[in-house]
Amino acid sequence: MNTDFQTLADIRKWLIQFRTVIYTKDRRMDLELMEEEVKGAHEAGLMDNKDYTAALMIIKNEYSRLCDQDKEG
């Protein structure tokens, strides 16, 4: 299944099709939970390697961006 993830919103929409909604009011926790769900989906064969890699890169980039914001202000 090639979903061509481009944004975090794409990953959220993909997860919603499996009735997985992640919202904790803590952006970092949301990202960590999303990463766990993506890893689980890949292990279960619901996500191919290309999508898995793209999703993890998007999540990790967003996490890094949040950390950089904290350092700046």
Side-chain angles (χ1 to χ4, degrees):
M1 174 191 297
N2 188 348
T3 56
D4 197 29
F5 295 119
Q6 300 287 321
T7 66
L8 203 57
D10 294 336
I11 299 168
R12 284 186 189 278
K13 288 177 190 171
W14 187 83
L15 289 170
I16 286 172
Q17 75 179 334
F18 299 103
R19 300 197 191 307
T20 301
V21 178
I22 297 174
Y23 180 72
T24 65
K25 294 186 181 182
D26 179 341
R27 186 77 162 162
R28 281 193 182 86
M29 183 59 71
D30 288 354
L31 293 171
E32 289 174 19
L33 290 170
M34 288 175 77
E35 184 174 347
E36 287 180 29
E37 290 295 329
V38 165
K39 286 179 180 179
H42 182 255
E43 290 170 5
L46 299 173
M47 182 180 282
D48 64 25
N49 288 334
K50 180 183 174 200
D51 289 339
Y52 175 66
T53 303
L56 285 183
M57 289 296 294
I58 291 166
I59 292 167
K60 289 184 184 297
N61 285 341
E62 181 66 17
Y63 197 89
S64 177
R65 189 182 67 75
L66 284 175
C67 289
D68 289 346
Q69 282 180 349
D70 285 349
K71 290 176 186 175
E72 291 175 3

mmCIF file of all heavy atoms in Angstrom, residues 26-61:
data_model
loop_
_atom_site.group_PDB
_atom_site.id
_atom_site.type_symbol
_atom_site.label_atom_id
_atom_site.label_comp_id
_atom_site.label_asym_id
_atom_site.label_seq_id
_atom_site.Cartn_x
_atom_site.Cartn_y
_atom_site.Cartn_z
ATOM 1 N N ASP A 26 -0.172 17.057 24.268
ATOM 2 C CA ASP A 26 1.277 17.157 24.390
ATOM 3 C C ASP A 26 1.855 16.721 23.044
ATOM 4 O O ASP A 26 1.832 15.541 22.700
ATOM 5 C CB ASP A 26 1.769 16.250 25.515
ATOM 6 C CG ASP A 26 3.278 16.269 25.689
ATOM 7 O OD1 ASP A 26 3.999 16.683 24.762
ATOM 8 O OD2 ASP A 26 3.741 15.864 26.773
ATOM 9 N N ARG A 27 2.343 17.680 22.288
ATOM 10 C CA ARG A 27 2.808 17.417 20.925
ATOM 11 C C ARG A 27 3.886 16.327 20.880
ATOM 12 O O ARG A 27 3.879 15.473 20.010
ATOM 13 C CB ARG A 27 3.335 18.728 20.319
ATOM 14 C CG ARG A 27 3.704 18.646 18.880
ATOM 15 C CD ARG A 27 2.485 18.664 18.027
ATOM 16 N NE ARG A 27 2.879 19.004 16.665
ATOM 17 C CZ ARG A 27 2.129 18.770 15.644
ATOM 18 N NH1 ARG A 27 0.931 18.277 15.807
ATOM 19 N NH2 ARG A 27 2.527 19.075 14.439
ATOM 20 N N ARG A 28 4.809 16.374 21.823
ATOM 21 C CA ARG A 28 5.872 15.354 21.847
ATOM 22 C C ARG A 28 5.294 13.960 22.095
ATOM 23 O O ARG A 28 5.706 12.989 21.461
ATOM 24 C CB ARG A 28 6.917 15.688 22.901
ATOM 25 C CG ARG A 28 7.875 16.732 22.460
ATOM 26 C CD ARG A 28 9.059 16.801 23.410
ATOM 27 N NE ARG A 28 9.930 17.862 22.979
ATOM 28 C CZ ARG A 28 9.807 19.130 23.308
ATOM 29 N NH1 ARG A 28 8.829 19.506 24.099
ATOM 30 N NH2 ARG A 28 10.634 20.037 22.856
ATOM 31 N N MET A 29 4.375 13.877 23.025
ATOM 32 C CA MET A 29 3.751 12.584 23.314
ATOM 33 C C MET A 29 2.975 12.089 22.094
ATOM 34 O O MET A 29 3.015 10.903 21.769
ATOM 35 C CB MET A 29 2.827 12.682 24.526
ATOM 36 C CG MET A 29 2.202 11.360 24.918
ATOM 37 S SD MET A 29 3.385 10.066 25.317
ATOM 38 C CE MET A 29 4.028 10.661 26.853
ATOM 39 N N ASP A 30 2.289 12.989 21.418
ATOM 40 C CA ASP A 30 1.579 12.620 20.188
ATOM 41 C C ASP A 30 2.547 12.007 19.182
ATOM 42 O O ASP A 30 2.259 10.970 18.577
ATOM 43 C CB ASP A 30 0.907 13.839 19.551
ATOM 44 C CG ASP A 30 -0.298 14.345 20.313
ATOM 45 O OD1 ASP A 30 -0.717 13.691 21.293
ATOM 46 O OD2 ASP A 30 -0.812 15.406 19.931
ATOM 47 N N LEU A 31 3.693 12.646 19.009
ATOM 48 C CA LEU A 31 4.679 12.158 18.045
ATOM 49 C C LEU A 31 5.228 10.791 18.454
ATOM 50 O O LEU A 31 5.396 9.906 17.601
ATOM 51 C CB LEU A 31 5.814 13.166 17.886
ATOM 52 C CG LEU A 31 5.414 14.493 17.245
ATOM 53 C CD1 LEU A 31 6.552 15.498 17.348
ATOM 54 C CD2 LEU A 31 5.001 14.301 15.796
ATOM 55 N N GLU A 32 5.480 10.613 19.741
ATOM 56 C CA GLU A 32 5.981 9.323 20.219
ATOM 57 C C GLU A 32 4.949 8.215 20.006
ATOM 58 O O GLU A 32 5.291 7.107 19.567
ATOM 59 C CB GLU A 32 6.372 9.419 21.687
ATOM 60 C CG GLU A 32 7.625 10.251 21.907
ATOM 61 C CD GLU A 32 7.950 10.480 23.370
ATOM 62 O OE1 GLU A 32 7.445 9.716 24.232
ATOM 63 O OE2 GLU A 32 8.721 11.407 23.655
ATOM 64 N N LEU A 33 3.695 8.521 20.278
ATOM 65 C CA LEU A 33 2.632 7.536 20.071
ATOM 66 C C LEU A 33 2.444 7.229 18.585
ATOM 67 O O LEU A 33 2.235 6.067 18.210
ATOM 68 C CB LEU A 33 1.320 8.022 20.685
ATOM 69 C CG LEU A 33 1.286 8.059 22.210
ATOM 70 C CD1 LEU A 33 0.029 8.777 22.693
ATOM 71 C CD2 LEU A 33 1.368 6.657 22.791
ATOM 72 N N MET A 34 2.533 8.253 17.758
ATOM 73 C CA MET A 34 2.424 8.043 16.314
ATOM 74 C C MET A 34 3.556 7.141 15.820
ATOM 75 O O MET A 34 3.326 6.248 14.999
ATOM 76 C CB MET A 34 2.434 9.373 15.565
ATOM 77 C CG MET A 34 1.156 10.159 15.727
ATOM 78 S SD MET A 34 1.239 11.773 14.963
ATOM 79 C CE MET A 34 1.047 11.331 13.255
ATOM 80 N N GLU A 35 4.745 7.381 16.330
ATOM 81 C CA GLU A 35 5.883 6.548 15.931
ATOM 82 C C GLU A 35 5.644 5.086 16.320
ATOM 83 O O GLU A 35 5.899 4.177 15.524
ATOM 84 C CB GLU A 35 7.165 7.071 16.573
ATOM 85 C CG GLU A 35 8.397 6.313 16.131
ATOM 86 C CD GLU A 35 9.691 6.902 16.652
ATOM 87 O OE1 GLU A 35 9.687 8.045 17.173
ATOM 88 O OE2 GLU A 35 10.722 6.217 16.537
ATOM 89 N N GLU A 36 5.142 4.860 17.520
ATOM 90 C CA GLU A 36 4.835 3.494 17.955
ATOM 91 C C GLU A 36 3.784 2.848 17.057
ATOM 92 O O GLU A 36 3.905 1.676 16.691
ATOM 93 C CB GLU A 36 4.337 3.495 19.399
ATOM 94 C CG GLU A 36 5.412 3.745 20.419
ATOM 95 C CD GLU A 36 4.874 3.729 21.840
ATOM 96 O OE1 GLU A 36 3.877 3.019 22.107
ATOM 97 O OE2 GLU A 36 5.451 4.444 22.677
ATOM 98 N N GLU A 37 2.749 3.597 16.716
ATOM 99 C CA GLU A 37 1.688 3.060 15.858
ATOM 100 C C GLU A 37 2.212 2.740 14.459
ATOM 101 O O GLU A 37 1.852 1.715 13.872
ATOM 102 C CB GLU A 37 0.514 4.041 15.767
ATOM 103 C CG GLU A 37 -0.270 4.176 17.045
ATOM 104 C CD GLU A 37 -0.984 2.897 17.444
ATOM 105 O OE1 GLU A 37 -1.390 2.105 16.564
ATOM 106 O OE2 GLU A 37 -1.133 2.683 18.657
ATOM 107 N N VAL A 38 3.056 3.616 13.931
ATOM 108 C CA VAL A 38 3.635 3.390 12.607
ATOM 109 C C VAL A 38 4.512 2.138 12.631
ATOM 110 O O VAL A 38 4.449 1.299 11.724
ATOM 111 C CB VAL A 38 4.421 4.641 12.141
ATOM 112 C CG1 VAL A 38 5.331 4.326 10.976
ATOM 113 C CG2 VAL A 38 3.448 5.763 11.781
ATOM 114 N N LYS A 39 5.330 1.993 13.665
ATOM 115 C CA LYS A 39 6.182 0.800 13.782
ATOM 116 C C LYS A 39 5.335 -0.461 13.872
ATOM 117 O O LYS A 39 5.628 -1.469 13.222
ATOM 118 C CB LYS A 39 7.094 0.911 15.000
ATOM 119 C CG LYS A 39 8.233 1.887 14.803
ATOM 120 C CD LYS A 39 9.107 1.987 16.035
ATOM 121 C CE LYS A 39 10.244 2.979 15.800
ATOM 122 N NZ LYS A 39 11.102 3.125 16.997
ATOM 123 N N GLY A 40 4.271 -0.404 14.659
ATOM 124 C CA GLY A 40 3.372 -1.547 14.781
ATOM 125 C C GLY A 40 2.699 -1.900 13.467
ATOM 126 O O GLY A 40 2.570 -3.081 13.120
ATOM 127 N N ALA A 41 2.279 -0.881 12.733
ATOM 128 C CA ALA A 41 1.636 -1.109 11.435
ATOM 129 C C ALA A 41 2.612 -1.753 10.457
ATOM 130 O O ALA A 41 2.247 -2.661 9.701
ATOM 131 C CB ALA A 41 1.104 0.206 10.876
ATOM 132 N N HIS A 42 3.853 -1.299 10.489
ATOM 133 C CA HIS A 42 4.877 -1.874 9.601
ATOM 134 C C HIS A 42 5.138 -3.330 9.964
ATOM 135 O O HIS A 42 5.192 -4.197 9.086
ATOM 136 C CB HIS A 42 6.163 -1.045 9.681
ATOM 137 C CG HIS A 42 7.235 -1.542 8.781
ATOM 138 N ND1 HIS A 42 8.311 -2.238 9.255
ATOM 139 C CD2 HIS A 42 7.394 -1.446 7.438
ATOM 140 C CE1 HIS A 42 9.097 -2.555 8.240
ATOM 141 N NE2 HIS A 42 8.564 -2.076 7.131
ATOM 142 N N GLU A 43 5.282 -3.602 11.257
ATOM 143 C CA GLU A 43 5.523 -4.972 11.713
ATOM 144 C C GLU A 43 4.366 -5.897 11.363
ATOM 145 O O GLU A 43 4.566 -7.080 11.095
ATOM 146 C CB GLU A 43 5.780 -4.998 13.214
ATOM 147 C CG GLU A 43 7.115 -4.391 13.602
ATOM 148 C CD GLU A 43 7.276 -4.206 15.101
ATOM 149 O OE1 GLU A 43 6.389 -4.629 15.878
ATOM 150 O OE2 GLU A 43 8.301 -3.615 15.497
ATOM 151 N N ALA A 44 3.151 -5.350 11.352
ATOM 152 C CA ALA A 44 1.962 -6.143 11.028
ATOM 153 C C ALA A 44 1.752 -6.290 9.521
ATOM 154 O O ALA A 44 0.816 -6.961 9.089
ATOM 155 C CB ALA A 44 0.726 -5.512 11.658
ATOM 156 N N GLY A 45 2.601 -5.647 8.734
ATOM 157 C CA GLY A 45 2.485 -5.752 7.281
ATOM 158 C C GLY A 45 1.478 -4.798 6.674
ATOM 159 O O GLY A 45 1.099 -4.951 5.514
ATOM 160 N N LEU A 46 1.032 -3.800 7.441
ATOM 161 C CA LEU A 46 0.059 -2.843 6.924
ATOM 162 C C LEU A 46 0.711 -1.678 6.191
ATOM 163 O O LEU A 46 0.024 -0.881 5.556
ATOM 164 C CB LEU A 46 -0.788 -2.285 8.082
ATOM 165 C CG LEU A 46 -1.609 -3.311 8.854
ATOM 166 C CD1 LEU A 46 -2.251 -2.661 10.068
ATOM 167 C CD2 LEU A 46 -2.649 -3.932 7.945
ATOM 168 N N MET A 47 2.037 -1.584 6.294
ATOM 169 C CA MET A 47 2.757 -0.458 5.714
ATOM 170 C C MET A 47 4.037 -0.989 5.071
ATOM 171 O O MET A 47 4.782 -1.745 5.709
ATOM 172 C CB MET A 47 3.088 0.548 6.827
ATOM 173 C CG MET A 47 3.780 1.791 6.384
ATOM 174 S SD MET A 47 4.132 2.894 7.780
ATOM 175 C CE MET A 47 2.537 3.618 8.047
ATOM 176 N N ASP A 48 4.272 -0.605 3.827
ATOM 177 C CA ASP A 48 5.489 -1.075 3.166
ATOM 178 C C ASP A 48 6.706 -0.266 3.636
ATOM 179 O O ASP A 48 6.576 0.727 4.362
ATOM 180 C CB ASP A 48 5.339 -1.034 1.642
ATOM 181 C CG ASP A 48 5.154 0.358 1.060
ATOM 182 O OD1 ASP A 48 5.595 1.346 1.684
ATOM 183 O OD2 ASP A 48 4.578 0.458 -0.031
ATOM 184 N N ASN A 49 7.887 -0.714 3.241
ATOM 185 C CA ASN A 49 9.126 -0.087 3.710
ATOM 186 C C ASN A 49 9.246 1.379 3.314
ATOM 187 O O ASN A 49 9.712 2.200 4.108
ATOM 188 C CB ASN A 49 10.343 -0.853 3.191
ATOM 189 C CG ASN A 49 10.517 -2.189 3.866
ATOM 190 O OD1 ASN A 49 10.089 -2.386 4.997
ATOM 191 N ND2 ASN A 49 11.141 -3.124 3.175
ATOM 192 N N LYS A 50 8.809 1.714 2.113
ATOM 193 C CA LYS A 50 8.901 3.100 1.642
ATOM 194 C C LYS A 50 8.036 4.022 2.507
ATOM 195 O O LYS A 50 8.494 5.076 2.952
ATOM 196 C CB LYS A 50 8.469 3.193 0.183
ATOM 197 C CG LYS A 50 8.539 4.589 -0.379
ATOM 198 C CD LYS A 50 8.027 4.649 -1.803
ATOM 199 C CE LYS A 50 7.981 6.091 -2.250
ATOM 200 N NZ LYS A 50 7.105 6.290 -3.382
ATOM 201 N N ASP A 51 6.804 3.628 2.743
ATOM 202 C CA ASP A 51 5.904 4.433 3.573
ATOM 203 C C ASP A 51 6.400 4.511 5.009
ATOM 204 O O ASP A 51 6.319 5.555 5.649
ATOM 205 C CB ASP A 51 4.482 3.865 3.542
ATOM 206 C CG ASP A 51 3.800 4.076 2.209
ATOM 207 O OD1 ASP A 51 4.219 4.972 1.456
ATOM 208 O OD2 ASP A 51 2.847 3.338 1.922
ATOM 209 N N TYR A 52 6.899 3.394 5.510
ATOM 210 C CA TYR A 52 7.418 3.335 6.870
ATOM 211 C C TYR A 52 8.570 4.324 7.047
ATOM 212 O O TYR A 52 8.577 5.120 7.983
ATOM 213 C CB TYR A 52 7.874 1.906 7.167
ATOM 214 C CG TYR A 52 8.536 1.717 8.497
ATOM 215 C CD1 TYR A 52 7.827 1.874 9.688
ATOM 216 C CD2 TYR A 52 9.874 1.347 8.583
ATOM 217 C CE1 TYR A 52 8.429 1.682 10.922
ATOM 218 C CE2 TYR A 52 10.484 1.143 9.809
ATOM 219 C CZ TYR A 52 9.761 1.311 10.968
ATOM 220 O OH TYR A 52 10.366 1.122 12.184
ATOM 221 N N THR A 53 9.508 4.291 6.126
ATOM 222 C CA THR A 53 10.660 5.194 6.193
ATOM 223 C C THR A 53 10.218 6.651 6.085
ATOM 224 O O THR A 53 10.683 7.503 6.851
ATOM 225 C CB THR A 53 11.666 4.861 5.072
ATOM 226 O OG1 THR A 53 12.060 3.491 5.210
ATOM 227 C CG2 THR A 53 12.889 5.745 5.144
ATOM 228 N N ALA A 54 9.315 6.937 5.162
ATOM 229 C CA ALA A 54 8.825 8.309 4.984
ATOM 230 C C ALA A 54 8.108 8.799 6.235
ATOM 231 O O ALA A 54 8.328 9.927 6.697
ATOM 232 C CB ALA A 54 7.894 8.379 3.773
ATOM 233 N N ALA A 55 7.259 7.960 6.808
ATOM 234 C CA ALA A 55 6.506 8.342 8.004
ATOM 235 C C ALA A 55 7.452 8.614 9.176
ATOM 236 O O ALA A 55 7.299 9.615 9.876
ATOM 237 C CB ALA A 55 5.498 7.247 8.362
ATOM 238 N N LEU A 56 8.427 7.746 9.370
ATOM 239 C CA LEU A 56 9.374 7.963 10.466
ATOM 240 C C LEU A 56 10.176 9.240 10.272
ATOM 241 O O LEU A 56 10.424 9.969 11.236
ATOM 242 C CB LEU A 56 10.326 6.769 10.601
ATOM 243 C CG LEU A 56 9.741 5.512 11.219
ATOM 244 C CD1 LEU A 56 10.827 4.447 11.357
ATOM 245 C CD2 LEU A 56 9.103 5.769 12.563
ATOM 246 N N MET A 57 10.571 9.524 9.053
ATOM 247 C CA MET A 57 11.330 10.756 8.784
ATOM 248 C C MET A 57 10.489 11.989 9.103
ATOM 249 O O MET A 57 10.982 12.938 9.707
ATOM 250 C CB MET A 57 11.792 10.798 7.326
ATOM 251 C CG MET A 57 12.885 9.813 7.001
ATOM 252 S SD MET A 57 14.414 10.147 7.878
ATOM 253 C CE MET A 57 14.876 11.690 7.157
ATOM 254 N N ILE A 58 9.231 11.975 8.721
ATOM 255 C CA ILE A 58 8.340 13.104 8.997
ATOM 256 C C ILE A 58 8.181 13.293 10.508
ATOM 257 O O ILE A 58 8.288 14.405 11.025
ATOM 258 C CB ILE A 58 6.969 12.899 8.316
ATOM 259 C CG1 ILE A 58 7.126 12.998 6.798
ATOM 260 C CG2 ILE A 58 5.943 13.909 8.834
ATOM 261 C CD1 ILE A 58 5.920 12.491 6.020
ATOM 262 N N ILE A 59 7.947 12.203 11.213
ATOM 263 C CA ILE A 59 7.765 12.271 12.668
ATOM 264 C C ILE A 59 9.040 12.764 13.341
ATOM 265 O O ILE A 59 9.003 13.653 14.198
ATOM 266 C CB ILE A 59 7.332 10.897 13.228
ATOM 267 C CG1 ILE A 59 5.917 10.555 12.734
ATOM 268 C CG2 ILE A 59 7.395 10.887 14.749
ATOM 269 C CD1 ILE A 59 5.503 9.115 12.967
ATOM 270 N N LYS A 60 10.173 12.207 12.969
ATOM 271 C CA LYS A 60 11.437 12.600 13.589
ATOM 272 C C LYS A 60 11.807 14.048 13.259
ATOM 273 O O LYS A 60 12.332 14.765 14.120
ATOM 274 C CB LYS A 60 12.546 11.646 13.186
ATOM 275 C CG LYS A 60 12.378 10.274 13.827
ATOM 276 C CD LYS A 60 13.515 9.351 13.514
ATOM 277 C CE LYS A 60 13.278 7.979 14.077
ATOM 278 N NZ LYS A 60 13.185 7.920 15.527
ATOM 279 N N ASN A 61 11.513 14.491 12.047
ATOM 280 C CA ASN A 61 11.777 15.889 11.686
ATOM 281 C C ASN A 61 10.918 16.840 12.511
ATOM 282 O O ASN A 61 11.389 17.887 12.959
ATOM 283 C CB ASN A 61 11.542 16.122 10.196
ATOM 284 C CG ASN A 61 12.643 15.563 9.338
ATOM 285 O OD1 ASN A 61 13.751 15.300 9.799
ATOM 286 N ND2 ASN A 61 12.352 15.358 8.068
#
